[in-house]
Amino acid sequence: MSSDSRSLQSSAVIDEAVQTLRNGGLVAIPTETVYGLAADAKNPEAIKKIFTAKGRPSNHPLIVHLAAPDKFDQAQVDWLPILTPWVRDLSEQALKLIEAFWPGPLTLVFKKDKSVLSELTGGQDTVAIRAPSHPIAQELLRKFKGGVVAPSANRFGKVSPTSATDVRNEFEGMLDLMVLDGGDCEVGIESTIIDLSSGDKAVLLRPGAITPSEIFAKTGVKVYQPGELDDGQLGNDLPKVSGSLKAHYAPTTPLRLYQPGRVLDALSEFPDIKSRVAVAVWDSESSLVLEDRPSTDVEEVIVSSDPTTFASRLYRSLRDLDQQGWDLILFPEPPTGEEWDGVRDRLQRACFGSGPSSSSHDSN
């Protein structure tokens, strides 16, 4: 995102977007993670429009986006008045995480206040909240003076949008959809989600750019993996959250991961249908030696071996490759290490959901 992205959208345009939200309409907004399809979080009819536009199951919860409080001169920003309309109780842990990482790509799950609409929580007694750091999103939220729900601005299960053009391509039919252009998304994958609703333990529900070790280093809060807690403690009571379905973020072209040095194996696994294959290779590795495979038209696509850069370009690459008519897209398996967990999670779900299916959209 360029530093002048704020000037991309005049305040008059943002005022119009605020009015659209107040009138129960939808607005596509830039955030630092991906573009979101925003609606007034207090308006059940507006929330239903999101599910309809995305083709998203209505039991799938949404994330509430809030403006950060104005700093002025305070050393310590007071989040309490902003959160109390949404959240039943705010622990010391929660405040530490908020002070360290908001606004930013961290979503926290709380026990919800009774006034929070069940339309946005998927009928659960928890609510997921974050404060996006993108200046346009913040300006919109400050002027709106309320919360907006904003799942990724794409058809359900498909690749998330990281530019205004992606959003327009995704919703060609919705000619009246207002799209705020905030440039390309900086982070490029959805926020990290931490569950704080079960009491004293913070649990990772979706990996993202902010990792458990970074959280521990900055706040002293230990984040548990769902599998680390014995069933007696939590059972299957972890809340459902966005992006936790097995198939998600998926291109229409079949996508597979290959292990280091095993490109040819991956190619030979799909001999029947594959004639044109796009193979993503790490920029740190020398060019692949692809043996003479007369039947295969293989093109190399260089991807960054830096996890932050890789994440910021992942959906862009998948979208572009999806539109180029390949028969198969091969990506390298990300290295181990939690800084890669977010992109590994997205890639695995994308593989699982990829390929033409009865639900895939004709426009793709």
Side-chain angles (χ1 to χ4, degrees), residues 135-213:
I136 291 176
Q138 278 295 328
E139 192 178 341
L140 174 80
L141 288 162
R142 270 199 296 276
K143 288 183 168 175
F144 181 63
K145 293 182 171 45
V148 306
V149 285
S152 57
N154 54 292
R155 309 282 179 186
F156 183 67
K158 293 293 160 192
V159 179
S160 308
T162 52
S163 73
T165 309
D166 291 345
V167 178
R168 294 193 186 100
N169 291 343
E170 195 75 13
F171 293 107
E172 277 170 322
M174 287 178 66
L175 299 176
D176 57 340
L177 178 65
M178 183 171 186
V179 181
L180 290 180
D181 189 343
D184 291 341
C185 298
E186 219 168 282
V187 175
I189 59 171
E190 296 76 6
S191 57
T192 304
I193 301 182
I194 304 286
D195 177 35
L196 300 170
S197 67
S198 58
D200 57 344
K201 291 204 164 33
V203 185
L204 181 71
L205 298 187
R206 178 174 74 183
I210 294 173
T211 60
S213 54

Side-chain angles (χ1 to χ4, degrees), residues 87-337:
V87 171
R88 208 181 309 164
D89 52 352
L90 263 180
S91 64
E92 207 44 46
Q93 263 195 342
L95 287 167
K96 280 183 187 164
L97 293 178
I98 287 167
E99 275 152 23
F101 294 105
W102 281 11
L106 179 70
T107 295
L108 300 176
V109 178
F110 302 95
K111 283 273 185 269
K112 76 179 187 73
D113 181 83
K114 58 182 182 303
S115 66
V116 176
L117 295 172
S118 65
E119 281 86 350
L120 75 83
T121 64
Q124 303 181 104
D125 67 346
T126 52
V127 62
I129 300 182
R130 92 176 184 96
S133 62
H134 195 294
I136 291 176
Q138 278 295 328
E139 192 178 341
L140 174 80
L141 288 162
R142 270 199 296 276
K143 288 183 168 175
F144 181 63
K145 293 182 171 45
V148 306
V149 285
S152 57
N154 54 292
R155 309 282 179 186
F156 183 67
K158 293 293 160 192
V159 179
S160 308
T162 52
S163 73
T165 309
D166 291 345
V167 178
R168 294 193 186 100
N169 291 343
E170 195 75 13
F171 293 107
E172 277 170 322
M174 287 178 66
L175 299 176
D176 57 340
L177 178 65
M178 183 171 186
V179 181
L180 290 180
D181 189 343
D184 291 341
C185 298
E186 219 168 282
V187 175
I189 59 171
E190 296 76 6
S191 57
T192 304
I193 301 182
I194 304 286
D195 177 35
L196 300 170
S197 67
S198 58
D200 57 344
K201 291 204 164 33
V203 185
L204 181 71
L205 298 187
R206 178 174 74 183
I210 294 173
T211 60
S213 54
E214 189 185 348
I215 289 173
F216 186 73
K218 284 194 178 163
T219 65
V221 172
K222 174 160 170 50
V223 176
Y224 292 84
Q225 302 287 339
E228 277 183 85
L229 298 160
D230 76 30
D231 287 351
Q233 263 178 312
L234 276 177
N236 298 318
D237 299 341
L238 288 172
K240 280 210 310 257
V241 290
S242 299
S244 55
L245 294 178
K246 205 167 176 186
H248 217 78
Y249 318 115
T252 312
T253 312
L255 169 71
R256 298 290 176 267
L257 300 183
Y258 66 86
Q259 291 170 325
R262 305 287 291 275
V263 175
L264 293 178
D265 294 358
L267 285 173
S268 58
E269 243 180 273
F270 308 99
D272 44 342
I273 48 166
K274 304 310 164 212
S275 51
R276 301 186 65 247
V277 185
V279 180
V281 292
W282 299 118
D283 55 11
S284 54
E285 290 181 2
S286 59
S287 202
L288 294 169
V289 183
L290 288 164
E291 292 159 17
D292 293 334
R293 298 179 60 84
S295 61
T296 312
D297 168 13
V298 177
E299 185 171 310
E300 282 186 13
V301 181
I302 305 295
V303 291
S304 175
S305 46
D306 168 66
T308 307
T309 310
F310 183 95
S312 72
R313 297 178 188 158
L314 172 60
Y315 292 150
R316 165 86 286 118
S317 311
L318 287 180
R319 269 182 182 269
D320 291 348
L321 291 168
D322 209 10
Q323 284 157 7
Q324 289 165 15
W326 299 99
D327 297 318
L328 175 68
I329 301 167
L330 291 176
F331 258 74
E333 266 179 25
T336 52

